[in-house]
Amino acid sequence: MPDIPCFRSVLPLVFMMGICAHMPVAVAEPALMPQPQTYHLQSGVAPLTGGVAVEWQGMRSALLDQAVARFTQRLAALSGRDVAPGGRPGLTLRIHCLAPDADMLSIHMHEHYRLRTDVQGATLEADGPAGVLRGLATLLQLVERQEAGPVLDAAEIDDSPRFAWRGLLVDVSRHFISPAALERQLDMMELTKLNVLHLHLSDGQGFRVESRLYPRLQQVASHGQYYTQQQVRGLVAYAARRGIRIVPEFDTPGHSYALLLAYPQYAAQPVAAPMDPKRVVRAAIDPTSPQARDFIAGLYHEMAGLFPDAYFHVGGDEVRPDEWTGNPRINAWMQQHGYTTATLQAMYTQRVHDMLARDGRIMMGWDELLDAPIPASIVIESWRGSRYTAAATQAGHPVVVSSGYYLDLLLPAAEHYRVDPLDPQGNGLPPDQVAQAHAPFLEPFALDPAARMTPAQDARVMGAEAALWTEIVTEEMLDNRLWPRAAALAERFWSPASVRDAASLATRLPVVQAELELLGNRATADRARMMARLAPDDVTPLATLLSVTSPVRNYAHNHVFGPSRVVPTADPRPLDRAADIAATDNTQAAVFYRDVLSCLAGRKDLAASLRARLENWRDNDARLRLLAQRDPSVAEVLPASALLARLAQAGLDAMNTPATAWREQAEAALATARGQFAASASMLAVRTSPQPAGDLLPDITPGIMALVQAARSSDSVVRQGAGIR
């Protein structure tokens, strides 16, 4: 981009707002995600004219045969070519799996592969079965549809993951997710090389696995929605065929309301039905009760028998001290034995660690476990900030990082992508702002400026996880809330640390999402169905608005704190609002911004298209207001629609009007938009700032800012050269 003076002031604010700070450009190479360790694009392509002929060398197994069958079906979907049995092969695929892998489906499984594609077909060599699976996923991303027909791009690739643990956490307690929907996510994980599905199976809202030892868990605590033991085994097997491990989480001693609703005799404080919304996240098990200890031992032993993975997550987070100190008997016991709440939880943690060790399981827990000494073998999952990755590894713990990767914050992909698992300053709130906010509950989320990581500490980081908590996510919203952002994080966890170009990410992300949707992802289809319910008379005006708006961020849409706080109820609010449908990353807004910058840099052929888009967004407001008269359910988005129209008019004025009369209105519209983004820019901001009506943010703001600032410029040569009157 030429050095245009007006861009010097507009771009820093665009970066700060996090709306496609780096715009997509034309794709010159295959949109590989994750990017391989080494990758060389070669000349030539292999036409894809039919099915696949596989030539095997080395090891072959039922798992690999199933993987090739999936690959063949997916290749047909991506290429549009028939792969009927007996048809003429269009691709010769030579697979050499060097040996069986004794560490398959463990933290040590061999995922390295080498891939060569040329006009003769494809050759895939892998150290073990998992490497074959990862290589086949990359091979699919080399498929390209050209005018003359589908082809396979020629390339040489040598690839292996940066981290062994590349996970996706899905909370199925707050909103139950069916086995079929989880299987769909496992397919997407295989395609993006994620290898751990962390299932959060119990919390205050529900316990989701059938127990034959304690049947009241499914009878009472599941609210009728749970996985049978047969379904669990089926899901574990489905994942294993894709080289994916399933790690269960049964959260105790806190977050146990549902469990204790079924077995109240083990509660530190009374629990009762109907569920008390004020205590749903507070209820805790009594760690001083021998009967409660035996109950947990039996439950964890039974659950470990269903989930064969070596790792077993027990939560341990957010235990409220007054659940224990508020019980006179527990409080007296603590005083008698010299325990604080931290050391009492450490005692509970040690007992659970020993229980799981007898079953051959490695215990995992959240970073609150660090508050008192615990065995160094316990894996810590750092979630409150990068400081806990540094603290846990310094104490000798293996670590899985989820801090910076909470998808329920509704941040754009680039915001998560910039956080490196090994950066001790990568994620957290500014400590001075936390101190000024007088909000003790946010203090653990503050950055520690002194936190550092040594090479020895780096080596203790097993990997990282993207996490989706489902307080405001239903199964129908699942694909939209997970993808394509989970694909961006799959790259962050697989590819070298040097792969961090946000411009490249923005280029590839919509391409990869389109491929995933051809292969079963339902984000677009589910959004369309939800929009049709919200606006049955005419979905187009609502769809136009949502194509360039995104939901407010950092839990602002949850409305659990701040000026817009909504007191939770036992029956959660319906998740059918426009902001529940809106995507966090909008391709149309990103392309608009890219085209604005290109136009200002001299691409005068883009001016007419920019005007047409701006006119459509401006005029959409009138159409949406007419729709709201028939479909009142869309009325709450009218302020967002009005702001979009004002921003679009500002862009048109900047392109069309050499006078200055319009600037006051344009600056006012931009000030409103900037204020809306600032209101949910952090959890600190959310606490004190009212959110925009409808919880929607106008994603065309960076493009409008660029146009307005260019119009301010006295450089008439630039304006004339861009074809702007």
Side-chain angles (χ1 to χ4, degrees):
M1 183 174 65
D3 186 12
I4 300 174
C6 66
F7 287 161
R8 293 182 184 143
S9 57
V10 71
L11 288 182
L13 183 55
V14 171
F15 296 151
M16 180 188 75
M17 294 172 64
I19 314 168
C20 189
H22 301 275
M23 59 287 185
V25 294
V27 179
E29 295 183 354
L32 301 183
M33 189 178 293
Q35 288 191 18
Q37 292 277 340
T38 62
Y39 163 63
H40 302 287
L41 187 66
Q42 306 294 310
S43 60
V45 295
L48 297 174
T49 57
V52 180
V54 180
E55 298 177 1
W56 291 94
Q57 292 181 305
M59 176 198 162
R60 182 178 179 183
S61 67
L63 182 146
L64 293 179
D65 284 338
Q66 293 165 353
V68 168
R70 290 194 303 277
F71 168 82
T72 302
Q73 294 173 348
R74 291 165 174 169
L75 181 66
L78 291 175
S79 66
R81 295 297 189 185
D82 183 24
V83 292
R88 186 168 62 88
L91 173 67
T92 299
L93 172 58
R94 295 170 288 275
I95 300 177
H96 185 188
C97 184
L98 296 179
D101 184 2
D103 293 319
M104 184 66 179
L105 294 175
S106 80
I107 194 71
H108 304 295
M109 65 179 165
H110 299 162
E111 299 181 281
H112 171 249
Y113 69 92
R114 289 172 292 276
L115 179 64
R116 179 183 177 86
T117 56
D118 53 30
V119 294
Q120 303 301 319
T123 300
L124 171 59
E125 183 180 276
D127 293 357
V132 174
L133 296 173
R134 310 309 175 225
L136 291 176
T138 299
L139 188 55
L140 288 170
Q141 292 186 347
L142 292 172
V143 175
E144 182 182 355
R145 289 194 183 188
Q146 298 184 346
E147 290 186 7
V151 298
L152 191 67
D153 288 311
E156 286 191 3
I157 293 171
D158 194 319
D159 199 14
S160 59
R162 180 186 179 200
F163 293 108
W165 188 298
R166 305 180 307 281
L168 177 63
L169 181 155
V170 178
D171 167 19
V172 299
S173 174
R174 274 55 176 261
H175 279 93
F176 183 73
I177 306 297
S178 71
L182 290 177
E183 288 176 354
R184 187 168 66 251
Q185 309 319 312
L186 287 165
D187 286 338
M188 300 301 105
M189 291 174 67
E190 180 187 18
L191 291 164
T192 55
K193 303 184 180 69
L194 293 168
N195 66 358
V196 178
L197 177 61
H198 172 173
L199 286 180
H200 185 77
L201 290 157
S202 71
D203 212 296
Q205 291 84 347
F207 187 97
R208 301 301 185 188
V209 177
E210 174 191 12
S211 171
R212 293 174 184 170
L213 281 178
Y214 306 110
R216 284 179 58 83
L217 289 173
Q218 61 265 22
Q219 295 166 1
V220 175
S222 75
H223 312 290
Q225 294 182 306
Y226 64 94
Y227 308 107
T228 67
Q229 295 199 359
Q230 182 178 0
Q231 287 174 322
V232 168
R233 293 188 179 97
L235 193 64
V236 168
Y238 191 96
R241 290 193 292 271
R242 287 150 181 80
I244 299 170
R245 302 156 40 221
I246 294 185
V247 172
E249 180 184 353
F250 296 94
D251 202 345
T252 64
H255 284 276
S256 297
Y257 196 103
L259 182 152
L260 295 172
L261 198 61
Y263 293 92
Q265 63 268 39
Y266 306 129
Q269 299 280 350
V271 295
M275 185 177 293
D276 181 352
K278 295 180 180 179
R279 294 205 56 234
V280 67
V281 297
R282 299 183 65 92
I285 290 168
D286 176 2
T288 69
S289 164
Q291 293 78 20
R293 178 194 61 206
D294 294 343
F295 168 73
I296 292 299
L299 177 62
Y300 279 179
H301 175 75
E302 182 183 21
M303 295 299 108
L306 292 174
F307 295 93
D309 197 77
Y311 294 85
F312 194 103
H313 206 302
V314 303
D317 58 313
E318 297 184 317
V319 179
R320 309 297 178 97
D322 57 358
E323 286 291 304
W324 292 338
T325 59
N327 180 315
R329 186 190 56 77
I330 296 176
N331 197 44
W333 189 96
M334 291 170 62
Q335 293 181 14
Q336 178 185 355
H337 294 86
Y339 279 93
T340 65
T341 53
T343 56
L344 182 60
Q345 181 164 358
M347 179 199 74
Y348 178 87
T349 299
Q350 179 71 61
R351 287 178 175 175
V352 171
H353 168 271
D354 296 344
M355 295 172 189
L356 293 173
R358 288 193 290 271
D359 284 323
R361 297 293 185 270
I362 300 169
M363 178 178 170
M364 291 185 69
W366 299 103
D367 59 47
E368 286 92 338
L369 297 185
L370 295 171
D371 290 345
I374 55 173
S377 59
I378 294 175
V379 178
I380 296 298
E381 183 157 5
S382 58
W383 73 277
R384 292 179 295 175
S386 301
R387 62 191 287 186
Y388 295 99
T389 301
T393 52
Q394 186 176 29
H397 293 276
V399 169
V400 171
V401 180
S402 59
S403 175
Y405 309 127
Y406 270 36
L407 299 180
D408 51 307
L409 289 170
L410 302 183
L411 297 171
E415 288 296 302
H416 297 294
Y417 186 76
R418 68 172 180 80
V419 179
D420 190 271
L422 300 184
D423 181 2
Q425 306 296 323
N427 181 252
L429 297 172
D432 57 334
Q433 295 181 25
V434 173
Q436 294 170 9
H438 303 293
F441 76 97
L442 287 178
E443 290 175 1
F445 298 90
L447 284 169
D448 176 5
R452 298 290 185 270
M453 294 279 286
T454 66
Q457 288 175 260
D458 290 348
R460 295 189 185 107
V461 177
M462 299 194 298
E465 291 186 346
L468 184 68
W469 303 95
T470 60
E471 286 92 343
I472 56 170
V473 179
T474 63
E475 180 173 315
E476 189 176 35
M477 300 163 62
L478 186 65
D479 289 42
N480 183 37
R481 288 291 180 250
L482 282 176
W483 308 96
R485 292 181 299 160
L489 289 181
E491 177 162 285
R492 171 58 54 244
F493 306 157
W494 175 284
S495 301
S498 58
V499 177
R500 55 187 313 111
D501 184 352
S504 172
L505 175 73
T507 299
R508 292 175 289 123
L509 204 60
V511 178
V512 169
Q513 177 62 14
E515 292 173 349
L516 293 178
E517 294 201 3
L518 280 173
L519 299 177
N521 183 268
R522 289 177 18 180
T524 297
D526 287 344
R527 290 182 68 205
R529 184 173 56 254
M530 293 178 73
M531 281 189 283
R533 286 203 308 269
L534 196 60
D537 288 329
D538 181 7
V539 76
T540 303
L542 179 61
T544 298
L545 175 68
L546 294 184
S547 70
V548 288
T549 55
S550 59
V552 291
R553 303 164 181 177
N554 291 302
Y555 298 133
H557 187 46
N558 298 53
H559 291 284
V560 293
F561 53 82
S564 305
R565 183 175 184 269
V566 175
V567 177
T569 63
D571 296 318
R573 61 182 174 84
L575 295 171
D576 56 4
R577 302 168 60 206
D580 298 318
I581 305 169
T584 59
D585 292 85
N586 280 306
T587 301
Q588 287 195 36
V591 171
F592 172 71
Y593 179 55
R594 176 203 69 190
D595 289 350
V596 165
L597 296 187
S598 297
C599 182
L600 292 173
R603 285 280 312 277
K604 62 178 67 177
D605 57 303
L606 291 171
S609 171
L610 288 173
R611 289 192 184 94
R613 280 175 270 181
L614 289 166
E615 289 169 355
N616 182 44
W617 295 328
R618 178 197 63 191
D619 298 341
N620 190 66
D621 185 48
R623 296 189 289 267
L624 195 57
R625 290 182 182 281
L626 286 174
L627 176 64
Q629 295 176 12
R630 304 191 304 273
D631 293 328
S633 57
V634 303
E636 73 164 346
V637 304
L638 291 180
S641 176
L643 179 58
L644 180 67
R646 290 171 60 200
L647 290 168
Q649 185 62 57
L652 287 166
D653 289 340
M655 293 182 71
N656 297 332
T657 308
T660 60
W662 58 273
R663 290 183 183 171
E664 184 176 341
Q665 291 87 348
E667 294 293 353
L670 285 171
T672 299
R674 287 194 295 266
Q676 290 186 356
F677 279 100
S680 63
S682 71
M683 287 193 291
L684 286 167
V686 170
R687 288 183 63 250
T688 57
S689 304
Q691 300 303 314
D695 287 353
L696 291 174
L697 299 171
D699 288 349
I700 67 168
T701 301
I704 303 303
M705 289 173 60
L707 288 170
V708 170
Q709 292 215 16
R712 287 200 204 108
S713 171
S714 59
D715 190 349
S716 59
V717 175
V718 171
R719 290 173 55 77
Q720 293 171 6
I724 298 175
R725 295 191 297 275

